[in-house]
């Protein structure tokens, strides 16, 4: 076999491959064997039909077609390996010549990873938010905890803001009660915004036993997006009662004995969260600066596939779970379809460039991923997906996604190398040493994707 490579552009090549006919022998033998198992000829046992009879009865062309289809992937792979190409996606193959007994010639056009030069990045400087926790921040955190331990007590008066009402609902569209438009015994906190638009104004001022009617656009169900006439009957009004902020509350709501210890712990937790946010912000801004330094051509087909994947995931997974379609989502966001397409393309380009640049850094820095790092990453991904580590690991193995996770970890390590060499200052002008901010107390947030992980692996050839 002989092959040659022609560069069509920085991200696409054409392979020209010439295969002597004798190298097709194994595939021809396999083709005859396969056809032998599929056909019957009178006078011959199944599987024992001579090649000349198959040629006469079914045509030599059918055998050649079967043999070429079997052989092409191997010769293409050999040509790719010989040229040391890093291909992306599937090739467009064209058989240019097939002479029985003489030769097989074909071309294969395919996208490749572009050659990238990583410049010196040690001079990168970024600014991040300072870690500042105020007394007001602590007050808010403690108040939120207090809200979780609130109790309710029925009252004989009209419903007010903050009250918990028990209600029965009935929704009609075009005068007809919806099958899924009836709900009884629903508990609702007035002002929470957790139910239908307009319900707060409808129930305020209504006592137990009273009812009100209002119109609202349904957010889900069989008539999602339609205007409905909703009748709400209040069966109970209850006042929320908050516990006193004292040592007794601290003992009830935490492992601490005093309210001051609880406040100190809340402050520490807020500091840890803000430090994690600061580190994430540093990664994002360092990555943006790095991408500005590197010229990265993006393969057109890869970009098209990435855009389509992002749109599909949004429409059929994220929006589907919320009972929305793309048109309604854009209306809520206040965006035109053109703006959405432009933003999706921009995000896709950034994701592809991020992966290319960090993968090149992995090679340049000779970074490896050990089992401990892979396991830790798997645990984080499992937590963010809502699956147990065992379930997630099984899904990854069965889906052949282990290389994808290894790539994510390696890219994370590559970005860490860049961040380590960058100068990171907060808004107070203080230089931040991110190594000092690693704290196990931030594990709640660490299940989220890092900027390196969010550039998903969609470009393996």
């Amino acid at each position: 076999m002989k092959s040659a490579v022609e560069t069509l552009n920085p991200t696409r090549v054409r392979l020209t491959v010439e295969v002597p006919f004798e190298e097709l022998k194994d595939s021809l033998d396999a083709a005859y064997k396969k056809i032998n198992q599929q056909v019957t000829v009178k006078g011959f046992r199944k599987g024992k039909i001579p090649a000349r009879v198959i040629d006469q009865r079914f045509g030599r062309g059918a055998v050649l077609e079967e043999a070429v289809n079997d052989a092409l992937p191997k010769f293409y792979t050999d040509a790719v390996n010989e040229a040391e190409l890093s291909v992306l996606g599937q090739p467009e193959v064209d058989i240019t010549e097939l002479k029985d007994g003489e030769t097989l010639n074909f071309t294969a056009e395919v996208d490749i990873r572009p050659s990238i030069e990583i410049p010196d990045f040690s001079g990168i400087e970024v600014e991040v938010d300072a870690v500042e926790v105020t007394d007001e921040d602590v007050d808010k955190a403690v108040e939120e905890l207090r809200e979780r331990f609130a109790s309710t007590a029925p009252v004989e008066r009209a419903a007010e803001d903050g009250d918990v009402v028990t209600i029965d609902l009935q929704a009609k569209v075009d005068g007809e009660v919806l099958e899924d438009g009836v709900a009884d015994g629903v508990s609702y906190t007035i002002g929470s915004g957790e139910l239908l638009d307009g319900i707060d104004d409808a129930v305020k001022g209504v006592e137990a036993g009273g009812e009100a009617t209002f119109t609202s656009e349904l957010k889900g169900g069989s008539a999602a997006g339609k205007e409905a006439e909703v009748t709400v009957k209040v069966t109970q009004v209850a006042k929320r009662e908050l516990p006193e902020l004292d040592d007794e509350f601290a003992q009830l709501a935490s492992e601490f004995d005093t309210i001051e210890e609880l406040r100190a712990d809340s402050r520490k937790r807020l500091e840890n969260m803000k430090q994690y946010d600061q580190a994430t912000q540093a990664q994002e801004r360092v990555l943006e600066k790095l991408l500005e330094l590197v010229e990265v051509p993006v393969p057109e087909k890869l970009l098209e596939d990435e855009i389509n994947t992002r749109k599909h995931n949004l429409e059929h997974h994220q929006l589907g779970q919320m009972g929305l379609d793309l048109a309604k989502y854009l209306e809520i966001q206040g965006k035109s379809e053109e703006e959405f397409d432009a933003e999706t393309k921009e995000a896709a380009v950034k994701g592809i460039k991020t992966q290319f640049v960090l993968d090149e850094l992995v090679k340049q820095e000779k970074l490896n991923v050990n089992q401990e790092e892979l396991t830790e990453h798997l645990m984080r991904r499992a937590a963010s997906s809502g699956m147990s580590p065992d379930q997630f690991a099984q899904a990854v193995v069965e889906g052949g996604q282990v290389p994808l996770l290894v790539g994510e970890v390696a890219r994370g390590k590559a970005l860490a190398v860049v961040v380590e060499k960058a100068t990171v200052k907060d808004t107070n002008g203080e230089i931040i040493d991110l190594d000092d901010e690693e704290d196990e107390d931030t594990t709640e947030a660490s299940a989220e994707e890092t900027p390196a992980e969010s550039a998903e692996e969609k470009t393996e050839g």
Side-chain angles (χ1 to χ4, degrees):
M1 185 196 81
K2 292 194 304 183
S3 64
V5 180
E6 176 188 357
T7 300
L8 303 178
N9 62 48
T11 63
R12 194 166 180 83
V13 297
R14 179 188 291 122
L15 286 163
T16 301
V17 184
E18 298 179 11
V19 183
F21 204 81
E22 56 267 23
E23 293 187 32
L24 283 172
K25 183 180 183 308
D26 289 345
S27 293
L28 278 168
D29 291 344
Y32 278 118
K33 185 175 181 180
K34 182 177 181 180
I35 294 172
N36 240 310
Q37 299 300 320
Q38 294 175 337
V39 301
T40 56
V41 175
K42 190 175 180 180
F44 297 94
R45 284 183 297 160
K46 193 172 185 68
K48 299 295 184 180
I49 308 169
R52 59 180 175 76
V53 175
I54 290 177
D55 289 347
Q56 291 169 357
R57 288 293 186 93
F58 306 103
R60 173 72 167 175
V63 179
L64 287 174
E65 182 179 355
E66 181 67 36
V68 169
N69 287 339
D70 175 73
L72 272 179
K74 175 186 179 301
F75 292 126
Y76 164 73
T77 301
D78 289 346
V80 166
N81 292 337
E82 185 179 289
E84 297 182 342
L85 298 175
S86 180
V87 299
L88 306 169
Q90 298 301 312
E92 294 179 7
V93 177
D94 181 26
I95 298 174
T96 55
E97 186 176 28
L98 176 57
K99 288 186 178 179
D100 194 359
E102 295 184 27
T103 186
L104 163 66
N105 297 335
F106 69 91
T107 62
E109 287 192 17
V110 66
D111 287 334
I112 60 169
R113 283 178 177 266
S115 177
I116 298 173
E117 291 290 330
I118 306 291
D120 178 20
F121 49 77
S122 60
I124 290 178
E125 293 187 12
V126 297
E127 184 180 75
V128 295
D129 295 336
V131 173
E132 295 175 343
V133 177
T134 65
D135 290 342
E136 288 75 16
D137 293 332
V138 176
D139 290 342
K140 182 179 178 183
V142 172
E143 188 63 28
E144 288 173 355
L145 181 62
R146 187 186 181 202
E147 291 276 350
R148 284 159 47 189
F149 283 84
S151 59
T152 59
V155 292
E156 294 184 6
R157 60 164 172 75
E160 300 174 356
D161 261 330
D163 284 345
V164 178
V165 290
T166 304
I167 53 178
D168 298 336
L169 295 166
Q170 184 186 80
K172 294 180 180 179
V173 173
D174 298 329
E176 296 291 328
V177 177
L178 299 171
E179 287 186 14
D180 56 353
V182 177
D184 293 334
V186 177
S187 180
Y188 175 67
T189 302
I190 300 175
S192 66
E194 293 174 351
L195 279 178
L196 299 167
D197 292 338
I199 193 170
D200 289 337
D201 291 336
V203 296
K204 276 191 290 188
V206 178
E207 296 183 18
E211 64 177 52
T213 301
F214 64 102
T215 58
S216 183
E217 183 178 305
L218 299 178
K219 298 178 181 178
S222 61
K226 293 184 178 180
E227 285 286 328
E229 181 185 86
V230 183
T231 300
V232 53
K233 181 178 180 180
V234 178
T235 59
Q236 179 181 276
V237 178
K239 181 181 179 181
R240 298 179 76 250
E241 297 180 344
L242 297 173
E244 291 294 326
L245 286 177
D246 52 21
D247 293 347
E248 187 177 337
F249 168 70
Q251 293 162 22
L252 170 69
S254 72
E255 70 271 31
F256 301 105
D257 293 326
T258 69
I259 192 67
E260 287 308 313
E261 289 175 328
L262 174 60
R263 288 180 61 85
D265 180 70
S266 296
R267 183 179 296 275
K268 182 61 178 175
R269 287 178 181 274
L270 288 171
E271 287 174 351
N272 288 338
M273 289 173 62
K274 290 198 174 189
Q275 284 175 347
Y276 178 83
D277 291 342
Q278 185 186 65
T280 302
Q281 192 178 65
Q283 287 182 322
E284 291 171 347
R285 294 182 178 178
V286 167
L287 177 59
E288 288 172 4
K289 290 281 189 179
L290 177 65
L291 294 181
E292 289 173 7
L293 294 176
V294 188
E295 187 68 32
V296 186
V298 176
E300 291 182 12
K301 181 65 168 60
L302 180 64
L303 177 58
E304 180 184 338
D305 290 345
E306 176 71 3
I307 290 172
N308 290 337
T309 298
R310 287 171 182 259
K311 285 184 175 179
H312 181 273
N313 288 341
L314 176 66
E315 291 188 64
H316 298 280
H317 297 293
Q318 295 162 269
L319 297 184
Q321 293 175 355
M322 296 187 288
L324 298 174
D325 59 17
L326 183 59
K328 186 62 182 176
Y329 169 74
L330 294 179
E331 180 184 331
I332 294 171
Q333 294 291 314
K335 295 177 184 175
S336 67
E337 192 168 339
E338 291 74 19
E339 289 172 327
F340 169 74
D341 287 343
E343 289 179 4
T344 303
K345 181 178 180 180
E346 182 180 356
V349 168
K350 182 179 179 181
I352 293 170
K353 286 185 174 182
T354 295
Q355 183 174 317
F356 284 171
V357 170
L358 295 182
D359 283 348
E360 184 63 31
L361 269 170
V362 169
K363 290 195 297 183
Q364 181 175 298
E365 300 291 327
K366 296 180 173 58
L367 300 175
N368 295 310
V369 176
N370 60 42
Q371 186 61 49
E372 183 180 350
E373 291 167 334
L374 183 59
T375 300
E376 183 182 331
H377 181 65
L378 186 147
M379 300 279 281
R380 292 206 311 271
R381 288 294 301 271
S384 64
S385 70
M387 300 170 68
S388 73
D390 288 344
Q391 288 174 324
F392 188 78
Q394 183 177 352
V396 166
V397 172
E398 290 178 354
Q401 302 297 302
V402 173
L404 183 150
L405 289 190
V406 172
E408 289 177 353
V409 177
R411 284 190 285 277
K413 294 179 72 171
L415 180 56
V417 169
V418 184
V419 173
E420 184 180 351
K421 294 185 178 180
T423 299
V424 180
K425 294 182 179 180
D426 67 17
T427 48
N428 294 329
E430 297 289 330
I431 293 180
I432 306 300
D433 185 351
L434 294 173
D435 287 338
D436 291 341
E437 296 192 358
E438 293 180 0
D439 194 309
E440 291 183 2
D441 288 338
T442 62
T443 51
E444 277 185 33
S446 68
E448 300 173 10
E449 289 183 333
T450 68
E453 291 165 16
S454 63
E456 296 179 20
E457 181 81 76
K458 294 191 179 76
T459 56
E460 288 302 316

